[in-house]
Amino acid sequence: MSPPALKHGGVYLLLGGSGVVGQIITRLLIEKYQAKVVWIASSPVNSALVQEKIAQCRFSDLAPDYVQADASNLSSLENAITLIKERYTHINGAIFAVSSPATETPIVNVSNAEFRHCFDKKTLSGIHFYTVLKSEKIDFLCYFSSIQAFSFVSASNSLGYAAGISLLDHFANSISSTSHFPIRVINCEYWSASFIDSDLKEKIHEYFYTI
């Protein structure tokens, strides 16, 4: 088996780093690879919740770096990448792990505005992530997806997320043949916060062998 596409001491951008999957990936990168992980998210860095999640991912003297940006806004994300490139001489890889909102209205009651909010959170941020990185010399761009993308599991309670992740999977597959770096989509389980301390870190590590 070929080694995973991860480098010791590498720099990895993580959109959605404070979510369930993002925290698992962060711990893997820091603990196994002593990597420099940069979270890109919209919350202020000085918020108590952000600081708590950063502390939870600290290992030895390494902890996630944090850059505030609204990934659904292309200009905001471009500014974040510019700032990151000022801090680090090279970006090794990028990972998209934006999760679903904590709650969503059942499909029978969901409004168009709520659907668009959830749908755009996945699609716009995912498309913009590739747009700002497409000229960079990175090793890979990985989109973490879900079984919802091809089975619409629980779509009755997370319609915008299921639809958004399905479209984003098709987008990633459509650009993979023309991108100058590998692009992969990893469809995993239906993620739950209860998984954060499970053995999924090793399972996710195995996924990186597919890149």
Side-chain angles (χ1 to χ4, degrees):
M1 180 182 292
S2 300
L6 299 171
K7 290 183 171 65
H8 283 271
V11 176
Y12 295 97
L13 308 187
L14 193 43
L15 197 59
S18 62
V20 173
V21 181
Q23 289 186 68
I24 296 173
I25 296 171
T26 299
R27 292 177 182 179
L28 164 68
L29 291 171
I30 291 178
E31 293 175 18
K32 280 189 174 289
Y33 293 91
Q34 293 74 56
K36 299 174 181 67
V37 180
V38 184
W39 286 358
I40 303 174
S42 58
S43 299
V45 65
N46 59 357
S47 79
L49 183 58
V50 167
Q51 289 301 313
E52 178 184 352
K53 291 184 175 182
I54 289 175
Q56 289 172 350
C57 292
R58 180 179 295 277
F59 180 78
S60 186
D61 61 341
L62 291 174
D65 194 358
Y66 191 95
V67 174
Q68 184 179 356
D70 176 7
S72 65
N73 182 297
L74 183 57
S75 295
S76 179
L77 193 55
E78 287 174 334
N79 291 337
I81 297 300
T82 298
L83 178 60
I84 291 167
K85 291 170 67 176
E86 291 174 354
R87 294 182 184 178
Y88 302 95
T89 57
H90 182 69
I91 299 170
N92 294 96
I95 302 164
F96 181 90
V98 173
S99 60
S100 173
T103 59
E104 232 185 299
T105 305
I107 188 172
V108 294
N109 297 319
V110 68
S111 66
N112 183 62
E114 183 176 359
F115 171 81
R116 291 298 314 194
H117 171 74
C118 298
F119 181 79
D120 290 347
K121 180 179 180 181
K122 295 296 294 187
T123 58
L124 291 181
S125 57
I127 293 170
H128 290 164
F129 201 36
Y130 169 72
T131 301
V132 299
L133 294 170
K134 63 182 180 181
S135 299
E136 301 296 326
K137 296 180 179 179
I138 60 178
D139 297 335
F140 67 86
L141 170 58
C142 177
Y143 287 91
F144 267 81
S145 187
S146 164
I147 60 171
Q148 280 185 301
F150 53 84
S151 66
F152 267 43
V153 174
S154 298
S156 62
N157 292 317
S158 52
L159 179 62
Y161 177 77
I165 206 169
S166 298
L167 186 147
L168 189 57
D169 281 11
H170 286 293
F171 168 77
N173 289 327
S174 72
I175 59 174
S176 61
S177 61
T178 56
S179 172
H180 69 86
F181 50 77
I183 296 177
R184 297 290 184 270
V185 175
I186 297 177
N187 293 98
C188 306
E189 292 91 337
Y190 185 87
W191 299 105
S192 165
S194 62
F195 295 159
I196 194 68
D197 294 317
S198 74
D199 62 353
L200 281 183
K201 184 165 61 178
E202 291 304 318
K203 195 168 186 178
I204 285 177
H205 190 218
E206 294 177 4
Y207 292 143
F208 281 102
Y209 282 89
T210 67
I211 298 175

